[in-house]
Amino acid sequence: MKDLRENIERHLHALTLFPSRHVGSPGAAAAADYIESTFRKYGYPQAAQEPFPATGWRFGSMVFVDLDDGCRAVPGALPCFFSRGADVTGVPLWLAGNDLDRLAETDVAGKLCIVEFFSGAADIRGRNGIAEELDRLGAAAAVFISDPAYHTTCAASTKIQRSPKLKTLGTAVVGEEGAYFLARNRRHRFRLFIDADTFPHTAHNVAAVRPGTGEGRVVFGAHLDAAPLTQGASDDASGVACVLELARLLKDELPAWTFEFAAFDAEEYCINGDLPGGSGAYVKDHAGRNWRFFMNFDSLGIFFGEDVLHVGRPELLGGFDCVYPKLPIKNGGDDRSFDRAGVPTLWFNTHARFKDFHTPLDTVGTLDTERLVLCVGESLRVLRQLCRPENEAFFRNISKNPKKC
Ligand SMILES: [Zn+2]
């Protein structure tokens, strides 16, 4: 138990040391190396990085200042994921909800636009669509307001807008404090400079396999990337730490089942209903494997949160009990890739009271390591119930007679 807690803490610190782990960043590459070397240390000499194509994002620096207020920086402003480079000076053009319906008639060319768009939820489609249209119309930059209905108001989500299709538009985001600052000074001249770019990239999943003697395979997964410029401690260093420890603990257990341990890159990349990048590539590259179920570990262990288990396609799983409430599939992360392939999914997840995910507030300091220790223990208990020999017959029947279930 002591080993488990200390190892989890070590993984969390190793993974959150980098300024960012977004797809294409040096931090994501270093995280993949750390995971691969940990798998090897834990007795998986064949652990390997599996490449797949993605759009990478490079970020250098950003300056967003009020030129009529002594060059004061806009509080808490950050670039959005996949922003292109920008350097624009001027009085911002504010675009309210009804302006967005008539963008083509508005002169946005070369302008610094502030987008008042509150969707009431994480409406990425809406924000991506607005950014793509402003990009087409030649706007210089767009500033979004991190949605208070879905995220904390204390910090900005760098994923609130994330279209990799932008050609020239710079995009930035502010939280509540920055939004009021901009609104109060709306007649001032601002300068927004963003040094950033997108580029074709080869991303890497990291996988390790413990071969079994039977037909059944289980995938344990978490994602190694994070929203840009965040520690991504809960989302999803927490899950990676759990998967690494499961690999260690299961090395010599339950020999009939083949266990695949995977850390996916580019989960935060998924846009407009597409499959997440890394798990989508994994499912495609290894199609035909006899996966009985996928255990996902994503966004765990947050103080003031409730641990839950989302279950997808329970009719294809054997019966089991779990101390966490069982909820219907959420289908918002890597589980989506497996669910689309018809594989049952179990997603260990924390429902947080403070919505810090995808913001710089998602730090190791918000994590209760003891809860991660309990989650590893509980996932093992669920696994052992599902991997009983009588369940092997149940799964075999199901894959032979899929219509009967
Ligand atoms: Zn996540």
Side-chain angles (χ1 to χ4, degrees):
M1 239 5 194
K2 188 165 161 280
D3 274 2
L4 181 55
R5 192 176 59 244
E6 283 173 2
N7 290 345
I8 286 174
E9 281 169 2
R10 197 176 59 252
H11 303 322
L12 289 175
H13 283 103
L15 292 165
T16 55
L17 267 179
F18 307 101
S20 193
R21 294 197 311 280
H22 64 265
V23 61
S25 66
D33 289 345
Y34 173 81
I35 294 161
E36 184 186 355
S37 68
T38 305
F39 278 142
R40 286 174 191 273
K41 192 172 105 190
Y42 283 176
Y44 296 84
Q46 318 293 352
Q49 299 197 22
E50 303 183 347
F52 64 94
T55 300
W57 187 58
R58 182 193 65 77
F59 173 68
S61 61
M62 182 175 119
V63 174
F64 192 14
V65 290
D66 183 340
L67 297 174
D68 293 329
D69 188 5
C71 279
R72 247 174 89 184
V74 178
L78 290 169
C80 289
F81 205 175
F82 297 121
S83 166
R84 306 301 296 252
D87 191 357
V88 54
T89 297
V91 177
L93 172 68
W94 282 72
L95 298 169
N98 41 2
D99 300 321
L100 296 172
D101 302 332
R102 302 187 295 267
L103 271 186
E105 300 150 35
T106 314
D107 181 18
V108 299
K111 301 258 168 69
L112 165 58
C113 305
I114 313 256
V115 182
E116 280 183 59
F117 177 73
F118 296 97
S119 57
D123 189 347
I124 300 304
R125 250 154 258 159
R127 287 190 197 80
N128 281 354
I130 293 163
E132 284 160 17
E133 193 170 356
L134 287 171
D135 189 40
R136 245 189 333 269
L137 295 169
V143 178
F144 291 85
I145 300 170
S146 196
D147 201 318
Y150 197 66
H151 290 94
T152 174
T153 62
C154 302
S157 160
T158 54
K159 249 186 82 169
I160 198 88
Q161 183 279 316
R162 54 172 193 271
S163 170
K165 295 181 192 158
L166 301 181
K167 297 210 166 48
T168 58
L169 188 76
T171 60
V173 61
V174 291
E176 184 177 342
E177 191 187 3
Y180 282 127
F181 181 88
L182 290 170
R184 205 163 49 235
N185 301 313
R186 59 196 300 149
R187 299 199 202 294
H188 288 189
R189 286 173 313 123
F190 285 80
R191 179 181 181 219
L192 175 60
F193 167 84
I194 304 172
D195 170 26
D197 221 338
T198 54
F199 58 93
H201 174 61
T202 301
H204 290 89
N205 294 326
V206 190
V209 179
R210 205 297 318 268
T213 53
E215 310 160 22
R217 302 175 80 99
V218 179
V219 185
F220 303 86
H223 65 90
L224 65 91
D225 67 315
L229 307 171
T230 73
Q231 274 191 12
S234 173
D235 185 13
D236 184 25
S238 67
V240 172
C242 291
V243 169
L244 288 173
E245 286 311 290
L246 285 165
R248 181 176 68 86
L249 295 166
L250 287 168
K251 173 81 182 50
D252 302 309
E253 263 194 59
L254 296 163
W257 293 70
T258 292
F259 294 139
E260 301 174 24
F261 303 93
F264 304 115
D265 199 350
E267 187 269 351
E268 306 288 0
Y269 171 83
C270 103
I271 50 159
N272 297 0
D274 291 345
L275 295 180
S279 53
Y282 190 89
V283 167
K284 193 165 137 259
D285 290 350
H286 302 298
R289 283 189 179 173
N290 208 349
W291 290 320
R292 303 298 202 214
F293 54 91
F294 168 56
M295 254 195 196
N296 192 19
F297 297 82
D298 194 351
S299 300
L300 292 161
I302 308 161
F303 282 118
F304 311 113
E306 185 197 8
D307 296 320
V308 299
L309 178 61
H310 294 275
V311 184
R313 303 180 184 266
E315 70 283 6
L316 302 182
L317 283 168
F320 68 95
D321 70 72
C322 178
V323 296
Y324 304 134
K326 285 188 218 165
L327 303 179
I329 192 169
K330 198 169 161 194
N331 219 272
D334 290 316
D335 62 316
R336 188 186 303 173
S337 303
F338 287 86
D339 184 71
R340 291 268 180 94
V343 179
T345 57
L346 298 120
W347 177 357
F348 291 90
N349 176 230
T350 299
H351 283 181
R353 300 278 181 267
F354 300 145
K355 310 280 189 193
D356 290 340
F357 62 100
H358 306 157
T359 79
L361 294 180
D362 177 8
T363 64
V364 174
T366 65
L367 294 190
D368 181 355
T369 318
E370 205 51 47
R371 297 245 304 281
L372 298 180
V373 171
L374 293 175
C375 180
V376 169
E378 188 59 15
S379 62
L380 280 174
R381 205 173 68 84
V382 168
L383 178 77
R384 289 188 183 114
Q385 294 174 66
L386 290 173
C387 293
R388 281 191 300 252
E390 56 269 35
N391 258 0
E392 180 57 33
F394 168 84
F395 282 118
R396 199 174 304 125
N397 256 340
I398 280 191
S399 50
K400 278 193 193 130
N401 309 296
K403 293 222 173 71
K404 281 195 188 148
C405 339

